[in-house]
């Protein structure tokens, strides 16, 4: 009888050990496969820890670069500005007030590819333009915004998401414009000093609450409507004269293709491609807040 008891105890102990090892084995298998969340979590934290750090490091690096770039921007902008009045300036772009000039303007962007192509064309002919951007698109294309500023172009405000300002209350007008200016400031450390009212619509409310000069145009290329390179080029060039402000939209591929020809043609005709600020400064006209301008003479 005693023998049986010892045997049964021994068998039970062996079975106990086996079951303990079996459960442990399954747990470690599940752990390896990540089935057990509570056990796998420390690993996840460990893995995401350094990754997050890297990201944080990268963005800090970016911010630093952005800060440096901003310093450069200010330097460049200052140089470009002074070059308008000082022909001896060593700035890359020199504006001669005695020669004809036009301001190309691009609305509704920025666009990661089409705006970039337009910037390439401007750079090639040592020209600059004004980009009236949407806050909502600027948020998604920060690098393009930085490049626009870096290369001596001007940025204007075209509302956050293209609401028609004449349909908004005074508070809403202020909100739309301030929100966009804040976004540009965050990205490029400059505040747009100009507004292009959406749809070219202006009323007393817009004049009183926009608190910046309101820039319309004297040549409408109708690029958004035709989406035809030849037609866009013809509309831009057929009646062009000194002081004109040309309207285009940098969100369309056909506009970017047409802009390449327009820039080349205007350059060969002796026109300087300038920003809105450069245009009015060269023509001795001071831009006033809340006033509407269609060209350098109106
Ligand atoms: Zn627009």
């Amino acid at each position: 009888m005693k023998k049986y008891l010892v045997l049964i105890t021994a068998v039970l102990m062996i079975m106990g050990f086996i079951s303990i090892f079996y459960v442990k084995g399954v747990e470690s298998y599940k752990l390896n496969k990540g089935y057990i969340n509570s056990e796998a979590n420390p690993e996840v934290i460990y893995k995401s820890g350094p990754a997050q750090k890297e990201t944080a490091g990268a963005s800090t690096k970016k911010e630093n670069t952005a800060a440096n770039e901003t310093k450069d921007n200010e330097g460049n902008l200052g140089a470009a500005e002074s070059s308008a009045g000082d022909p001896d300036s060593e700035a890359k772009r020199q504006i001669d007030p005695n020669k004809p000039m036009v301001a190309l303007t691009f609305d509704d962007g920025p666009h990661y590819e089409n705006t970039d192509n337009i910037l390439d064309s401007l750079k090639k002919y040592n020209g600059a333009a004004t980009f009236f951007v949407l806050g909502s698109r600027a948020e998604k294309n920060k690098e393009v915004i930085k490049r626009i500023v870096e290369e001596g172009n001007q940025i204007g405000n075209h509302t956050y998401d293209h609401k028609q300002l004449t349909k908004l209350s005074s508070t809403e007008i202020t909100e739309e414009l301030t929100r966009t200016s804040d976004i540009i400031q965050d990205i490029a450390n400059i505040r747009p000093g100009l507004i292009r009212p959406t749809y070219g619509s202006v009323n007393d409310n817009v004049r009183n609450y926009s608190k910046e000069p309101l820039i319309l145009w004297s040549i409408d290329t109708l690029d958004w409507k035709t989406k035809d390179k030849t037609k866009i080029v013809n509309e831009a060039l057929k009646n062009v004269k000194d002081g004109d402000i040309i309207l285009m939209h940098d969100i369309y591929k056909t506009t970017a293709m047409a802009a390449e020809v327009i820039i080349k043609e205007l350059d060969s005709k002796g026109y300087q491609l300038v920003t809105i600020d450069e245009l009015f400064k060269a023509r001795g006209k001071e831009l006033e807040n809340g006033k509407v301008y269609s060209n350098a003479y109106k």
Side-chain angles (χ1 to χ4, degrees):
M1 197 59 186
K2 228 180 176 183
K3 259 187 182 174
Y4 283 116
L5 271 174
V6 172
L7 196 66
I8 287 166
T9 314
V11 168
L12 283 174
M13 277 173 77
I14 288 163
M15 279 175 73
F17 274 120
I18 288 170
S19 63
I20 285 168
F21 280 118
Y22 175 75
V23 170
K24 282 263 176 196
V26 170
E27 264 181 16
S28 70
Y29 173 79
K30 282 184 179 174
L31 200 68
N32 286 338
K33 292 281 175 190
Y35 293 148
I36 302 176
N37 289 330
S38 61
E39 294 283 346
N41 264 345
E43 200 186 355
V44 172
I45 290 164
Y46 171 75
K47 273 186 183 164
S48 65
Q52 272 175 3
K53 250 189 184 172
E54 252 172 51
T55 320
S59 71
T60 315
K61 232 184 196 176
K62 258 192 181 171
E63 273 163 29
N64 286 341
T65 320
N68 289 338
E69 278 168 2
T70 309
K71 264 185 210 162
D72 286 342
N73 291 346
E74 279 168 5
N76 283 340
L77 283 175
E81 237 178 64
S82 65
S83 77
D86 178 14
D88 294 321
S89 164
E90 282 180 11
K92 263 205 318 192
R93 292 181 55 243
Q94 295 196 358
I95 297 151
D96 184 349
N98 299 314
K99 287 181 183 165
M101 58 186 83
V102 242
L104 299 178
T105 63
F106 297 93
D107 290 11
D108 297 359
H111 186 278
Y112 70 99
E113 192 178 15
N114 301 328
T115 309
D116 239 26
N117 289 341
I118 292 167
L119 289 169
D120 287 344
S121 304
L122 286 164
K123 205 176 176 183
K124 196 171 165 188
Y125 293 94
N126 209 18
T130 306
F131 294 83
F132 289 98
V133 303
L134 296 177
S136 56
R137 294 194 69 98
E139 281 176 330
K140 291 174 193 150
N141 297 284
K142 292 179 182 171
E143 293 308 315
V144 186
I145 292 285
K146 284 181 193 166
R147 188 181 168 198
I148 289 172
V149 177
E150 260 168 42
E151 297 183 0
N153 302 284
Q154 189 169 6
I155 290 196
N157 193 328
H158 196 47
T159 75
Y160 180 76
D161 52 6
H162 217 272
K163 285 197 185 78
Q164 189 168 335
L165 293 173
T166 48
K167 290 180 177 171
L168 302 182
S169 70
S170 52
T171 319
E172 287 168 332
I173 291 172
T174 310
E175 276 172 6
E176 272 283 313
L177 298 170
T178 308
R179 187 179 178 189
T180 304
S181 290
D182 288 347
I183 290 165
I184 304 302
Q185 174 134 37
D186 279 351
I187 301 169
N189 207 24
I190 52 135
R191 275 189 101 72
L194 306 168
I195 291 163
R196 168 150 294 157
T198 39
Y199 311 99
S201 303
V202 177
N203 61 11
D204 282 345
N205 241 4
V206 176
R207 270 185 276 267
N208 292 334
Y209 293 96
S210 49
K211 297 186 183 78
E212 308 278 0
L214 301 160
I215 310 296
L216 298 184
W217 53 87
S218 50
I219 294 177
D220 187 350
T221 60
L222 297 171
D223 60 337
W224 59 274
K225 203 174 177 182
T226 63
K227 293 197 187 80
D228 181 304
K229 184 184 158 187
T230 314
K231 283 181 183 167
I232 299 166
V233 172
N234 289 342
E235 286 299 324
L237 300 178
K238 67 179 183 189
N239 294 317
V240 72
K241 59 189 181 307
D242 175 64
D244 269 329
I245 299 174
I246 302 178
L247 169 66
M248 284 182 271
H249 300 80
D250 51 330
I251 46 171
Y252 304 112
K253 198 179 172 73
T254 40
T255 297
M257 287 156 66
E260 194 181 354
V261 182
I262 292 165
I263 291 165
K264 185 181 160 217
E265 286 296 311
L266 287 172
D267 180 73
S268 72
K269 287 175 200 286
Y271 283 100
Q272 300 171 93
L273 301 169
V274 296
T275 66
I276 294 292
D277 274 359
E278 288 167 346
L279 174 67
F280 283 84
K281 193 176 177 181
R283 293 292 166 255
K285 202 165 175 182
E286 205 164 312
L287 291 164
E288 290 173 42
N289 295 346
K291 268 199 162 187
V292 178
Y293 301 88
S294 304
N295 69 31
Y297 301 103
K298 259 193 248 171

